Amino acid sequence: MKILFVSPEVSPLVRTGGLGDVVGSLPLALREIGLDVRILCPLHKECKDIPRILFPKPISFRLGKKKYTFFVSSTKLEKSEVPVYFIGNDVLFNRSGIYSDEKGDFPDNALRAFALSKAAVELEKSIGWEAEIFHAHDWMAASTCAFINAIKGTYKRKVGSVLTIHNLEHQGTFSYQDFLDSHLPTKYWGMEGFEHNGALNLLKGGIQHATKLTTVSPTYAQEIKTVEFGQGLEKSLLYRAGDLVGILNGIDESSWDPSRDSALAGKIQIATADEGKDVCKSTLQKEFSLAQEPKVALFGVVSRLYNQKGLDLLLKIIPSLLQNSKSQFVILGSGDSHQERAFSEFAQRNPTRIATSIGFDDELARRIFAGSDFFLMPSRFEPCGLAQQYAMRYGSIPIGRETGGLADTIVSHPSGQDLSNGFLFKDATPQGLNEVIHKALSLFEKQLEFFEIRKNAMQRRFSWVTAAEKYAKTYTWALGK
Ligand code: GLC
């Protein structure tokens, strides 16, 4: 089966978050089970230096009043045979940032999204390879599903589309005028198409038009059909519920391998985890000038600092945790400037207990996963979440809110033993988080149980194999076979 992934990001070539990680690793697993998967991505400025092969024939089409030409070039995904095709157009894509720059979101994002989506359908004219499944990721690629439907009658082969929702919060909302720029059939406007509350909503258009829909965990697939989690699109999702499945993301096990990770001071193996963990913890404490205390529980955070991630709850309880517990915190993240400042101030005032690093740094993230005893993820909602999975593999016991992919990856039995591999808590309140952190602290005092749960976390299966099989089934389903 031939599948074209359509995505604004693909790790490690260009990424802002989990979406890029998934698009950069799932295709490898799909190839392993015999699917011919390829990826289409815009030639962002940061991709320009990648060695690429240029196709002689560009593609071009009209958007709004202008005709745009896209140069097609290709490379292969790291250490694999998965082709990545780029569409290059300097006016639309040669800029710093994927969706925004320091001035905010790009004003022509609707046009850029239509360009990527329509290019997916036109690509075969340049490269000669014809996809059967167009697999679109998130709002920027979502309208691919509509461009296909618009010409479905002209295909001489069976064609289907799959839209994966990585995060319902980002929908791509623009105006009716922007919709007209797409030259999609005007009947695609309206309640059953791209219109949502009088505006253009790219994700909604995709939800209405995709042959099949997936999201990145079974629990999130249920949650998004409710008012609480549906971000206003719950009615569309309920309407399409029969075509929607939740498939839990895996992680790239070879890139995230604590027994071979060159970013770490000590290598971590399940059988001898305490040795490797001790080295990584004391190195992390030294790096941030925290007190060198092996017996103090170290909590790690690697996150974007937005409302979704719930770290404002942690900010509220840090003063009491500092007073009433033996604990240290290392926080890596960026986003909301209020949260950035608040975490930095706590670190300045308590330099032996709290360290804050603002930004994103892949190697530091790895050192935090490896050097922390517990990993905090108090998300208000979490479609899947990759960080808790990286943390588990690196022997940091996850503490997450019972939602989305956190609920699907973290096992937390009330008694704490057996198969537990972390902690879940229900209420997104400072008290809820405080209680669960104290549970973790008391586990930390009981070494044997702590080791047991850490071992369970490290032994969890993370690979993409199961997910790949579920995607393969979804593709077959989308082709009506
Ligand atoms: C988004 C979601 C996150 C998910 C990732 C990959 O970033 O917020 O939960 O893990 O996409 O699917």
Side-chain angles (χ1 to χ4, degrees), residues 17-22 138 164-167 170 216 249 304 308-309 377 381-389 405 464:
L19 159 67
D21 288 355
V22 170
D138 273 358
T164 294
I165 301 167
H166 292 264
N167 189 336
H170 308 294
V216 288
N249 287 332
R304 286 175 290 125
Q308 172 191 348
K309 300 292 179 180
M377 229 164 140
F381 68 94
E382 194 59 72
C384 176
L386 300 173
Q388 83 277 18
Q389 302 195 57
W464 274 106

Side-chain angles (χ1 to χ4, degrees), residues 426-444:
K426 271 207 161 48
D427 298 331
T429 57
Q431 297 87 311
L433 180 61
N434 192 47
E435 269 167 38
V436 75
I437 288 181
H438 279 282
K439 276 191 204 155
L441 284 164
S442 66
L443 175 74
F444 191 67

